[in-house]
Structures are given as structure tokens and as C-alpha cells.
Amino acid sequence: MANFVGPLGAVMNMDACGGIFPAMVAVFAANAFGIELAFSQYVLIVVVSIFASLGSAAVPMGATAFTIITLTTVGLPVEAVGLVAGVDFLVDMFRTMTNVTGDLTTSVIVANSLGEFDRDAFNTQDLKVATATAT
């Protein structure tokens, strides 16, 4: 099952790159430029972020591209990307961590629901890792 869930998650589960980061930058941009967002604009940010997280794996520098798309869709100034560009390399590590954590969690949930998750092997391996890091 991991052969199915892993690649699918790597392509479709880009929540941090296509979803969370552009939404956060949009809200940050609105605050930085003193723009009040209407409820409909918040809904639009959520909708664009959902669709962006499904397709951002194939786009180089997808987080930046989908941030620009989100900002223009909501009517916010694209210059806000420049405000966060300086820390993008650092934030990228956390975006990757969020994406991988989501993929791994989904794999465990799917394996558990199908009865393929070996809890004894998982707990034994967890104990080995804990013992190795403690010494």
C-alpha cells in the first residue's frame, strides 16, 4: 500500500507549499498594506489554496508561484512576495517538513485502516531508535 500512498501523497499533498504558505502570505500582505479582507476574500483564499496544494508538486518554486496566484486572485499587491522572499529558504525547510509529515501520517492511517500496519514491528523499531539516541 505504501507504493500507492507515497507517490500519490508526494504529488497531491503539498499543503505547505500550495496551501498554507500562500494563505499566510495573503493574510500577512493584507495586514502589512492595511487592507481589510472581506469574508468572501477569505473564502477565496481557502479555495485557491486547496486547488494549489493539489498541483504544486510539478511547479518549480511552486510556493512562490502559488503565492503570486493567490495574491492576484484576492486582489492584494504582488509586492508582498518581496517581503517574505528573504526568509523563503528558511521557511522552505519547514514547508517540506509539513508536507512529508502529512505523507507519512496518511500512509500510517491508510495502512492501519486496511489492517496492514504491523504495530509490533513499529513499536520495536521505535524502541530501538529511542535506545540508540539515548546512548
Side-chain angles (χ1 to χ4, degrees), residues 29-41:
N31 287 326
F33 289 100
I35 300 171
E36 285 286 328
L37 292 176
F39 180 75
S40 61
Q41 288 174 304

Side-chain angles (χ1 to χ4, degrees), residues 12 31 48 63 78 84 109 118:
M12 294 183 68
N31 287 326
V48 170
V78 179
V84 295
I109 290 171
D118 188 358

Side-chain angles (χ1 to χ4, degrees), residues 34 36 53 63 71 75 77 98 102 126:
E36 285 286 328
S53 69
L71 291 173
T98 303
D126 192 33

Side-chain angles (χ1 to χ4, degrees), residues 13-14 16 94-107:
N13 183 30
M14 300 299 269
F94 293 102
R95 288 192 305 247
T96 301
M97 180 183 66
T98 303
N99 292 335
V100 171
T101 301
D103 294 343
L104 294 175
T105 303
T106 304
S107 298

Side-chain angles (χ1 to χ4, degrees), residues 32-112:
F33 289 100
I35 300 171
E36 285 286 328
L37 292 176
F39 180 75
S40 61
Q41 288 174 304
Y42 283 112
V43 171
L44 193 57
I45 289 170
V46 170
V47 170
V48 170
S49 297
I50 289 171
F51 285 120
S53 69
L54 294 176
S56 65
V59 179
M61 293 187 63
T64 304
F66 285 108
T67 300
I68 293 171
I69 291 170
T70 303
L71 291 173
T72 49
T73 301
V74 179
L76 294 171
V78 179
E79 292 83 10
V81 173
L83 297 174
V84 295
V87 294
D88 189 58
F89 71 95
L90 181 64
V91 174
D92 186 51
M93 291 183 262
F94 293 102
R95 288 192 305 247
T96 301
M97 180 183 66
T98 303
N99 292 335
V100 171
T101 301
D103 294 343
L104 294 175
T105 303
T106 304
S107 298
V108 170
I109 290 171
V110 168
N112 192 38

